[in-house]
Amino acid sequence: MLDRMLEVNKKRITKYKMSENLKHNMGGWLVMAPTLLLFAFFVWEPLLESVRLSFYSAKGMKLIEFVGFKNYIDVFRHPDFLPAVRNTFSYTIWSLVIGFLVPIVLAILINEMVHAKSLFRVGIYFPNVVPGLATVLMWGFIFKPGKTGVLNIILGQFGIEPMVWLSNPKLTIPLIVLTMTWKAAGATALIYLAALQGINPELYEAAIIDGAGIWDRIRHVTIPNLRNLARTLLILQVIAVFQILYEPLVMTNGGPNNASISIMQLVFKYAFEKFDYPKAAAVSVIISIFLISLTAVYNKFNKELDI
Amino acid sequence: MKKGILRLISLVLLLTMLSLLAGCAKSNTETAAPAATPEPTPEEITLKLGIWPEDTLADDIKMHENWVKTFNSKYPNVKVVPAYYKYATDTFVSLAESGNLPTVFETWYTEPQKLIEGGFVKDITAELKELGWDNAMNPTIRELLSKDGKIYGIPRDGYALGLMLNVELFEKAGLVDANGIPQYPKTWEELAQCAKTIKDKTGSAGICILAKDNAGGWHYSSIAWAFGAQMEALKDGKWVAQLNSPENVAAMSFVKDLKWKYDVLTADPTNEDWGTGFKALGTGEAAMYIGANDAVNQPTQVNKLDVKKLALVPLPAGPGGQYSLMGGTPYMFSAKATAEEVKAALNYIEVMGKAPVTTPESLAGMEDDAKNKVTAGIPVIPDFPAWTDPEFIKAKQEAISKNSNIDMALYNDYYEKLKQNGNLHLEEPKLTQDMYAELTKVLQAVITDKNANVQKLLDTANANLQSLLDSQVNK
């Protein structure tokens, strides 16, 4: 009885070996199949569909006829388009100026801490737990002009007259970026922190033996080890900030006089204020072309640096 | 062994997903079925009421429940389904496209043309003709709800913009006569002075001006017209923007002065929209606000101003005259509704006392409505005539005066002014929302920048509007 069972098993094994490659791959494909199907259904198909939509005229959501680049031309000619593009670049640049280094500094500081490390680790992540809308509403109260704004009340204690914040066209974008940084820096800092803890401690020991102080250790050990991660996070940040929508929408509605309108807000306006979905799709396609080319150029640049 | 587990996992995952997809497909057909095959047997019509009150308004719900009883005793074959829907641009299209839009819903004065254009609402001309309501409608309001001679909605009520006053602040500033009636400003220049007095004596803002969204440009049009501006004109068959006319520059400079010369505005007009304006007025943050007769519940019921401390007076006059912008809040009907469902909805509106008929049910509806307003602390004031049927107007007037809870002296001037010839002014006709958007940007600039160049800003706005007109209207 036992012999026979073994025999059958042997037979199975040889059979299995014959098409092992195929079967091996089959398993892989089967594991991936659900994800692939879901991706195709929820991501790729809508993506292609919106490209198609941008070349048609529509009644509500029903496509009417092919109109070529008409939607794109209308979008380019719209008086809000240029300010929106300009502002979006401005958001991105400000977010790099204000926000890029903050998580790195936070991570290094926490990494160097001896006591209460976990407390600070949780602490910096906390703002990220607050829902996005709640964050911008809260900062809206803080930046409220007049005597009732939180920041103005605090400044009033030091005898400073109430000021306008978000409705000052020069301050709007930096202030909005500040609130975004407040919310998001903690999460990014945790990623850097993980990378920092992955750095081989022997490198630090060697540096100390060579007589390196804290600054030299950061300069010659920490930063080179973070560089690759920082490069990836930089482009991810650019992509994320490029799609900024709800912060200006809620805090300033794009004002004053288009000083903070973002390109995603144009999509929102076309889709949900005018029900003009083809033009909304056209703007989305323009955004993605911007981002794809930006990423391509950045990656090429990076590769050259690596060589 | 490992492979076996792998295969097992993939099989389970695959099965899960297939069942998920099957689940989707199943529920899809379930929800789509009623829309796809509307089989209204004469005995059974489902009326989905989007005009049902929201859950928190218990009194209003009770009122509607009574109406449903009355309605069903007359039309037992109609099943009324409460389907409260507060119109919002970000939810509307998905509801409409999925066939889940209520049979009848309320929308905003800005929307009808857009909704007709998108094919989301039903042409109800035939049903209205059958009831004889098509000619009972105020012609200007009918115009707002029609396209190419077809009517797509009926008015809940009409409105005309006036100036709302917080009487408490006027009393504090000593701006009332012997009878306690506010001495309100008759011209925009007077308004600036009056606002200054209020600001000096009470510390509250004199007037709340909006500059957050398109409502800013909408309110501003009233000021511009008083200064003599006409912002769009038809010349040689083409629509021409006239935002940078000397009259409009004068009007915009006046708003700028309200901020920088008189300093009588609320802390941040660029953050004020239609709703926050009423909040400012109702809570005594501002003494004056541009508002209409159909929104008197906003400062009172919603923001708790004493019902007797609200006044509605005519908008001030300017060098170009005195105008009141008029419009209407419409009821519209789902494009997927059948003729029977639309008729049922119209019949229900009749029971509510909002239709141009004077049946006993309709009269009872008007009475209930007025009484409900008294309990909720909303001023019971005459409607703006959205329907022209004289008997209907008379009956409505009776229900209102019987239940009056305010001193009409606080409203009489407003209603008198509306009756004058040429006082009512329709919105500018073409790309109105785009025009408001351009004006709002200029408002934001002049309110936030003391040194803003009004002429230059309006030149830009004008060029922008003209390019939109050329690309979308003057084809």
Side-chain angles (χ1 to χ4, degrees), chain A residues 4 6 29 53 97 120 137 146 155 160 164 267 278 286 288 305:
Chain A
R4 275 186 66 186
L6 277 174
W29 282 111
L53 180 60
V97 171
F120 282 96
L137 286 175
L155 290 176
I160 298 168
V164 285
V267 181
I286 295 171
S288 64
L305 264 186

Side-chain angles (χ1 to χ4, degrees), chain A residues 37-307:
Chain A
L37 272 172
L38 288 176
F39 253 105
F41 187 74
F42 287 109
V43 179
W44 297 324
E45 199 274 340
L47 227 150
L48 294 175
E49 191 61 29
S50 77
V51 175
R52 195 166 82 97
L53 180 60
S54 72
F55 290 105
Y56 279 78
S57 69
K59 195 172 186 181
M61 277 180 180
K62 288 182 273 303
L63 301 187
I64 302 292
E65 57 175 352
F66 183 81
V67 293
F69 284 96
K70 187 179 174 298
N71 291 321
Y72 289 87
I73 294 167
D74 283 353
V75 165
F76 280 127
R77 283 205 185 138
H78 195 279
D80 290 346
F81 185 74
L82 269 184
V85 172
R86 215 168 34 226
N87 287 342
T88 305
F89 278 103
S90 177
Y91 277 113
T92 316
I93 292 164
W94 274 110
S95 89
L96 295 178
V97 171
I98 297 177
F100 185 67
L101 287 178
V102 173
I104 302 181
V105 173
L106 281 176
I108 293 177
L109 281 177
I110 290 175
N111 199 38
E112 294 297 324
M113 262 172 198
V114 181
H115 301 292
K117 210 179 210 174
S118 329
L119 178 75
F120 282 96
R121 213 162 40 199
V122 174
I124 56 161
Y125 190 73
F126 234 64
N128 208 51
V129 180
V130 183
L133 271 181
T135 312
V136 292
L137 286 175
M138 181 188 81
W139 280 92
F141 285 122
I142 293 177
F143 290 134
K144 204 174 156 192
K147 283 173 284 185
T148 49
V150 175
L151 189 57
N152 278 340
I153 292 174
I154 295 169
L155 290 176
Q157 299 292 318
F158 302 100
I160 298 168
E161 284 290 299
M163 304 208 283
V164 285
W165 298 102
L166 288 169
S167 18
N168 179 343
K170 290 198 184 73
L171 287 181
T172 313
I173 290 183
L175 287 178
I176 292 176
V177 169
L178 195 75
T179 67
M180 292 163 71
T181 308
W182 178 83
K183 178 174 161 54
T188 320
L190 285 194
I191 301 177
Y192 280 116
L193 197 59
L196 283 178
Q197 282 163 356
I199 297 175
N200 190 348
E202 287 169 10
L203 291 175
Y204 285 109
E205 279 168 30
I208 291 170
I209 290 166
D210 285 346
I214 171 89
W215 291 117
D216 284 327
R217 287 200 302 262
I218 289 176
R219 225 182 103 201
H220 296 293
V221 181
T222 314
I223 295 198
N225 272 292
L226 286 183
R227 189 174 288 149
N228 277 334
L229 178 65
R231 275 184 201 165
T232 313
L233 288 179
L234 180 98
I235 198 71
L236 286 180
Q237 184 179 338
V238 169
I239 291 173
V241 175
F242 216 85
Q243 300 176 51
I244 179 170
L245 169 67
Y246 69 84
E247 291 90 349
L249 192 71
V250 174
M251 290 173 91
T252 61
N253 196 27
N257 195 9
N258 277 349
S260 62
I261 192 169
S262 76
I263 196 163
M264 273 302 273
Q265 229 177 316
L266 289 186
V267 181
F268 182 88
K269 281 192 172 181
Y270 274 124
F272 298 119
E273 282 177 14
K274 299 190 172 165
F275 299 157
D276 194 342
Y277 294 94
K279 292 208 183 82
V283 183
S284 310
V285 172
I286 295 171
I287 296 178
S288 64
I289 291 174
F290 265 137
L291 285 178
I292 291 171
S293 24
L294 205 72
T295 315
V297 169
Y298 179 80
N299 278 344
K300 194 160 184 290
F301 184 67
N302 253 349
K303 264 184 198 149
E304 277 169 13
L305 264 186
D306 282 344
I307 297 163

Side-chain angles (χ1 to χ4, degrees), chain A residues 58-61 64 274-275, chain B residues 111-121 146-148 152 332 475:
Chain A
K59 195 172 186 181
M61 277 180 180
I64 302 292
K274 299 190 172 165
F275 299 157
Chain B
E111 308 299 284
Q113 292 303 321
K114 194 169 76 179
L115 300 187
I116 296 170
E117 191 72 35
F120 300 119
V121 286
S146 306
K147 194 177 181 189
D148 305 330
Y152 290 83
M332 300 198 95
K475 283 186 218 171

Side-chain angles (χ1 to χ4, degrees), chain B residues 144 217-218 220-222 224-225 228-234 239-243 248 325-326 425-436 439 465 469:
Chain B
L144 283 174
W218 172 53
Y220 170 80
S221 331
S222 300
W225 293 331
Q230 187 196 354
M231 290 178 275
E232 292 176 346
L234 187 61
W239 283 94
V240 180
Q242 306 192 131
L243 297 184
N248 205 30
L325 184 152
M326 71 166 286
H425 201 308
L426 278 176
E427 293 177 82
E428 298 284 344
K430 296 292 167 190
L431 299 181
T432 319
Q433 293 302 312
D434 294 290
M435 185 193 82
Y436 291 157
L439 286 172
L465 179 61
L469 282 171

